[in-house]
Amino acid sequence: MAAPKIAPSMLSSDFANLASEAERMVRLGADWLHMDIMCRHFVPNLTIGAPVIQSLRKHTKAYLDCHLMVTNPSDYVEPFGKAGASGFTFHIEVARDNWQELIQSIKSKGMRPGVSLRPGTPVEEVFPLVEAKNPVELVLVMTVEPGFGGQKFMPEMMDKVRTLRKKYPCLDIEVDGGLGPSTIDVAASAGANCIVAGSSIFGAADPGEVISVLRKSVEGSQNKS
């Protein structure tokens, strides 16, 4: 069984105080810190790059779960490996021809490879990457169109999660987009175990309570299955 992992999305944090925000999230029970890397080409937004990861790494030992919404993920592997990224998740839509080399490269730099898919991409596209001799170790199912925080959760994406969980009982399956106390049960019961949540955690009066609610929902669903 894949362990529950709650990953606050640092895109929703106070960027001027990133180190203290990271420390606060870990203290409140976060397992991972989710870092959104956007290049303005794959998605119409620009966020952070390797220098910010490198700076943050000096202040935290936390698992930095990096989601690269970029058109050329292979260009980012070396800098992110050097910067101290823990996980490197690329999009299948930009890696259909070179995912094998990309996975190898990510692992050679000491990072854990993951693959993500946009809402419009069929889940079958990631099967070969999970079943490969040198596989990805995480699949991120986007539950909103990637690019911006604060969007509405798309429950129809849960069919992808259910398909993946049935096929791969021990796989880390991550969901990202619109997750919070009102949507977690749907995602958890579908089989997601890695939960990315931004505004629902950082915008809460008690972020630690939200992290706890998300974790309990995943644990509860796993205990039922």
Side-chain angles (χ1 to χ4, degrees):
M1 191 179 288
K5 298 171 188 84
I6 310 304
S9 176
M10 301 307 287
L11 187 63
S12 296
S13 73
D14 176 4
F15 267 23
N17 295 290
L18 200 52
S20 60
E21 288 280 69
E23 188 275 328
R24 179 169 73 112
M25 287 300 114
V26 172
R27 184 166 34 86
L28 292 174
D31 303 281
W32 292 355
L33 300 176
H34 189 78
M35 313 299 295
D36 286 303
I37 319 301
M38 307 182 195
C39 72
R40 214 178 221 169
H41 298 286
F42 184 69
V43 288
N45 198 2
L46 186 64
T47 55
I48 60 170
V52 174
I53 301 296
Q54 188 171 4
S55 296
L56 183 58
R57 178 48 81 208
K58 292 171 187 165
H59 299 275
T60 183
K61 294 189 172 90
Y63 186 99
L64 300 180
D65 176 38
C66 298
H67 173 203
L68 283 94
M69 289 161 271
V70 300
T71 44
N72 303 308
S74 52
D75 294 346
Y76 293 77
V77 175
E78 189 165 339
F80 273 78
K82 279 185 181 166
S86 311
F88 186 109
T89 298
F90 59 89
H91 268 265
I92 185 59
E93 297 88 359
V94 294
R96 289 184 176 107
D97 300 328
N98 68 336
W99 58 263
Q100 285 153 311
E101 296 90 333
L102 194 48
I103 292 170
Q104 180 56 43
S105 176
I106 293 164
K107 287 187 174 177
S108 75
K109 300 297 176 197
M111 296 178 289
R112 193 164 178 253
V115 66
S116 181
L117 60 165
R118 299 179 93 137
T121 302
V123 70
E124 292 77 14
E125 288 207 27
V126 303
F127 293 173
L129 286 74
V130 181
E131 295 168 17
K133 201 161 143 187
N134 197 16
V136 290
E137 297 174 29
L138 171 145
V139 174
L140 167 53
V141 175
M142 291 303 298
T143 47
V144 296
E145 275 299 339
F148 294 92
Q151 295 185 69
K152 201 170 179 329
F153 176 76
M154 299 166 73
E156 61 273 23
M157 292 303 114
M158 292 306 97
D159 285 343
K160 293 180 182 179
V161 176
R162 275 186 283 273
T163 299
L164 287 165
R165 181 55 71 213
K166 191 173 177 186
K167 208 165 163 58
Y168 312 112
C170 297
L171 178 68
D172 271 336
I173 302 172
E174 188 168 55
V175 284
D176 180 4
L179 272 305
S182 64
T183 50
I184 181 59
D185 288 348
V186 182
S189 62
N193 69 296
C194 302
I195 312 298
V196 177
S199 35
S200 67
I201 291 177
F202 286 97
D206 185 350
E209 174 60 21
V210 176
I211 290 172
S212 176
V213 166
L214 299 178
R215 183 186 311 287
K216 283 176 183 162
S217 179
V218 174
E219 287 172 346
S221 291
Q222 289 185 338
N223 290 338
K224 283 181 204 161
S225 58

